[in-house]
């Protein structure tokens, strides 16, 4: 029985080839030549114990990514105050004009940044500044980490650096003496943590078989959901000190970088693209060994075209189809990030308990992971993302309408609709990540994912200002989130479909594959017609 992808030649074959083609040399003698996809499919297994274990290990940092992204829900929340004489609880918006000795903060002055620095009345919009700076920092950091991870540093080392610096900046944030220093440190924290998300998802997706890429990316988001779910518990235990909340959170990425990351592998696809074939084969052998299998002793990986290996980022910006594609991905990503982060940050504008609202969103995020895994296995990427974005948008609009009602039933309905919208938005966010990974080849994949993350965080950086506006008019903020979500779903319809399409290594290879695929589809449609 012949083995697909196998190229094995003996001396008689060489002689025959020489007579027919006039060849004088044979470049690959007694070599098993495979692409990395063929190695996974035929020898390692597309999704065995090794791939599952590795995907879990490299996805753990997404816990810290979620905590760092959403910690401002509690540290920067709008606290309640009470009158000293009567003990009556009032909103902070009612404090303007009252003398300081007539009221006090519920929970103490140092429970959050608003109460510690009195960010009320004429200073109320300053509370949106740290979150915006955080996401702007993530915007710049994504480009830097994308370049480092695709060029000389690699996925694993970029992840290590990001975890280490996330610890340092989060720890320093807890010592902020003013809102301006706090905002600056949030900017640096956003900058250095931006490598976590892109490197984790890419590392997990590049070490599995073709049909399991989407599902593996979703498993990574399970850890992101766990990070979101753990945040209310941490915040409640440290509800009297926002500084302690930052300190506790900072230790987690440090522990991971030192104790767990050394047991993970670098992406064999990236190693091959960088010409480090021996290291790539070594990683593949380790994965095969963990699965109880063994690779052929003389296995050889097929080299990608060398002309794309040099200065791949420059090649990317000179390739028109790739630039157009990444622009459309970023437009969809901007809307998705704006809505996904905005709905979560806007939880304080719901007519419900903040801790319970975030816990419910965390549970729905976990549900969305399993639902997303199932949907990615049976549906095409383009209609799936588009429909989820529209569902999230409609839910946001309904949530805004329900905010006008203050009866108990309306509050529960608003919470339910908000949970549906957040789930749909989270699903769209996760699907777009997987979609982006499949739209671009290995040589520029991390760059493309980083650009998508830049679009996510650019949208996220605008969300805090709309949340601040929502403290006065919740319906306006929810409707704006809804409209943007629908528009991002419409923009995605201009992208090509990628479900079950082979992962290419270089830009030229992907262009050729897509042209052949388009030609095959056109030929089939003509024949059927």
């Amino acid at each position: 029985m012949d083995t697909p992808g196998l190229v094995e030649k003996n001396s008689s074959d060489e002689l025959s080839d020489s007579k027919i083609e006039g060849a004088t040399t044979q470049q690959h003698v007694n070599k098993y030549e495979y692409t990395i996809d063929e190695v996974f499919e035929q020898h390692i297994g597309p999704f065995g114990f090794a791939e599952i274990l590795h995907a879990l290990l490299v996805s753990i940092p997404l816990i810290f990514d979620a905590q760092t992204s959403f910690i401002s829900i509690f540290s920067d929340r709008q606290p309640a105050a009470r009158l000293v004489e009567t003990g009556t609880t009032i909103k902070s918006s009612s404090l303007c004009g009252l003398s300081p000795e007539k009221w006090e903060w519920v929970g103490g002055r140092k429970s959050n940044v608003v109460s510690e620095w009195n960010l009320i009345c004429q200073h109320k919009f300053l509370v949106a500044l740290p979150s915006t700076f955080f996401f702007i920092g993530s915007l710049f950091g994504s480009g830097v980490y994308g370049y480092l991870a695709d060029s000389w540093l690699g996925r694993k080392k970029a992840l290590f650096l990001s975890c280490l610096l996330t610890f340092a900046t989060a720890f320093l944030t807890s010592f902020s003496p003013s809102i301006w220093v706090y905002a600056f440190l949030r900017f640096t924290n956003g900058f250095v943590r931006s490598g976590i998300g892109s490197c984790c998802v890419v590392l997990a997706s590049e070490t599995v078989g073709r049909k399991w890429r989407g599902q593996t990316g979703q498993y990574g988001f399970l850890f992101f959901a766990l990070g979101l779910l753990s945040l209310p518990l941490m915040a409640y235990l440290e509800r009297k000190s926002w500084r302690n909340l930052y300190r506790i959170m900072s230790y987690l990425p440090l522990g991971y970088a030192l104790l767990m990351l050394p047991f993970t592998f670098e992406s064999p696809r990236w190693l091959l693209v960088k010409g480090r074939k021996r290291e790539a084969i070594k990683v593949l052998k380790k994965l095969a060994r963990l699965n109880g299998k063994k690779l052929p002793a003389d296995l050889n990986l097929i080299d990608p075209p060398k002309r794309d290996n040099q200065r791949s980022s420059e090649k990317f910006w000179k390739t028109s189809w790739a630039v157009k594609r990444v622009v459309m991905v970023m437009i969809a990503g901007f809307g998705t990030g704006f809505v996904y982060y905005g709905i979560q940050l806007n939880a304080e504008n719901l007519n419900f308990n903040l801790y319970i609202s975030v816990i419910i969103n965390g549970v729905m995020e976990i549900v969305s992971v399993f639902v997303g895994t199932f949907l990615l296995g049976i549906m095409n990427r383009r209609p799936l993302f588009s429909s989820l974005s529209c569902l999230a948008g409609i839910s946001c609009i309904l949530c805004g309408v329900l905010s006008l009602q203050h009866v108990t039933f309306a509050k529960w309905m608003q919470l339910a609709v908000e949970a549906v919208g957040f789930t749909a938005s989270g699903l769209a966010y996760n699907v777009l990540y997987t979609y982006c990974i499949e739209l671009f080849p290995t040589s520029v994949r991390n760059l493309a994912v980083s650009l998508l993350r830049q679009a996510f965080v650019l949208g996220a950086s605008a969300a805090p200002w709309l949340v601040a506006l929502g403290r006065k008019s919740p319906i306006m903020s929810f409707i704006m989130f809804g409209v943007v979500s629908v528009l991002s779903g419409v923009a995605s319809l201009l992208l090509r479909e990628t479900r079950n399409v082979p992962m290419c290594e270089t830009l030229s290879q992907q262009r050729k594959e897509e042209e052949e695929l388009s030609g095959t589809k056109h030929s089939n449609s003509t024949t059927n017609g």
Side-chain angles (χ1 to χ4, degrees), residues 119-415:
L119 303 180
I120 56 175
C121 301
Q122 70 270 26
H123 302 298
K124 60 185 176 182
F125 283 104
L126 286 178
V127 72
L129 195 64
S131 292
T132 297
F133 272 35
F134 172 82
F135 289 116
I136 291 176
S138 298
L139 176 68
F140 289 107
S142 294
V144 173
Y145 277 104
Y147 171 75
L148 293 176
D150 275 336
S151 56
W152 57 274
L153 199 58
R155 282 72 158 125
K156 182 177 176 179
K157 290 180 180 178
L159 179 58
F160 175 82
L161 181 64
S162 186
C163 287
L164 204 61
L165 293 178
T166 297
F167 151 73
T169 53
F171 188 76
L172 288 174
T173 301
S174 68
F175 295 98
S176 301
S178 68
I179 182 63
W180 302 106
V181 175
Y182 176 64
F184 171 74
L185 289 173
R186 285 294 283 164
F187 172 86
T188 59
N189 188 231
F191 184 95
V192 300
R193 58 63 82 170
S194 58
I196 292 178
S198 58
C199 291
C200 287
V201 176
V202 172
L203 260 179
S205 300
E206 289 187 343
T207 52
V208 296
R210 180 193 312 170
K211 293 183 179 180
W212 292 93
R213 297 192 305 256
Q215 290 87 333
T216 302
Q218 292 298 297
Y219 296 148
F221 291 113
L222 174 62
F223 286 91
F224 189 91
L226 291 175
L228 176 59
L229 193 59
S230 67
L231 194 54
L233 176 61
M234 295 169 59
Y236 183 78
L237 293 175
E238 294 296 339
R239 60 189 179 278
K240 293 185 178 181
S241 175
W242 67 272
R243 297 179 185 273
N244 286 342
L245 179 60
Y246 269 96
R247 288 168 191 149
I248 291 174
M249 184 198 68
S250 70
Y251 297 134
L252 300 178
L254 175 65
Y256 173 83
L258 298 179
L259 301 177
M260 303 188 73
L261 189 58
F263 296 98
T264 63
F265 304 124
E266 180 57 88
S267 166
R269 297 179 189 274
W270 178 82
L271 291 171
L272 180 62
V273 166
K274 304 310 291 183
R276 297 157 64 175
K277 186 182 296 186
R278 289 186 179 180
E279 295 176 60
I281 293 176
K282 186 177 180 181
V283 170
L284 294 172
K285 286 183 177 180
K286 289 180 179 179
L287 291 170
R289 193 180 308 119
L290 286 172
N291 279 347
K293 298 181 179 181
K294 188 176 181 181
L295 299 184
D298 52 356
L299 177 139
N300 187 48
L301 296 176
I302 298 175
D303 290 313
K306 292 184 179 180
R307 61 180 177 275
D308 278 353
N309 287 346
Q310 304 296 325
R311 293 178 291 184
S312 57
S313 60
E314 294 181 15
K315 186 78 173 180
F316 176 83
W317 294 115
K318 294 178 181 178
T319 307
S320 60
W321 67 266
V323 173
K324 292 177 182 177
R325 183 172 298 178
V326 82
V327 168
M328 295 312 303
V329 167
M330 291 180 72
I331 290 174
F334 174 86
T336 304
F338 180 72
V339 176
Y340 175 74
Y341 287 101
I343 291 177
Q344 186 62 278
L345 295 174
N346 212 30
E348 68 173 82
N349 291 325
L350 292 173
N351 298 321
F352 217 85
N353 180 275
L354 179 61
Y355 293 95
I356 295 176
S357 299
V358 176
I359 288 174
I360 291 176
N361 284 343
V363 172
M364 297 307 294
E365 181 86 1
I366 293 176
V367 171
S368 72
V369 171
F370 293 101
V371 174
T373 301
F374 172 74
L375 293 177
L376 280 168
I378 63 172
M379 289 185 65
N380 289 344
R381 284 30 171 164
R382 183 169 54 189
L384 177 58
F385 173 79
S386 180
S387 58
L388 287 170
S389 295
C390 291
L391 176 59
I394 293 171
S395 299
C396 286
I397 294 172
L398 290 175
C399 201
V401 173
L402 288 169
S403 68
L404 298 175
Q405 307 297 322
H406 297 284
V407 297
T408 303
F409 176 75
K411 292 181 180 180
W412 282 99
M413 280 295 297
Q414 187 190 37
L415 183 64

Side-chain angles (χ1 to χ4, degrees), residues 102-133:
K102 290 184 178 181
W103 59 272
E104 62 183 4
W105 292 109
V106 176
R109 190 174 65 87
K110 296 187 177 181
S111 61
N112 59 73
V113 300
V114 174
S115 58
E116 180 164 348
W117 294 316
N118 286 327
L119 303 180
I120 56 175
C121 301
Q122 70 270 26
H123 302 298
K124 60 185 176 182
F125 283 104
L126 286 178
V127 72
L129 195 64
S131 292
T132 297
F133 272 35

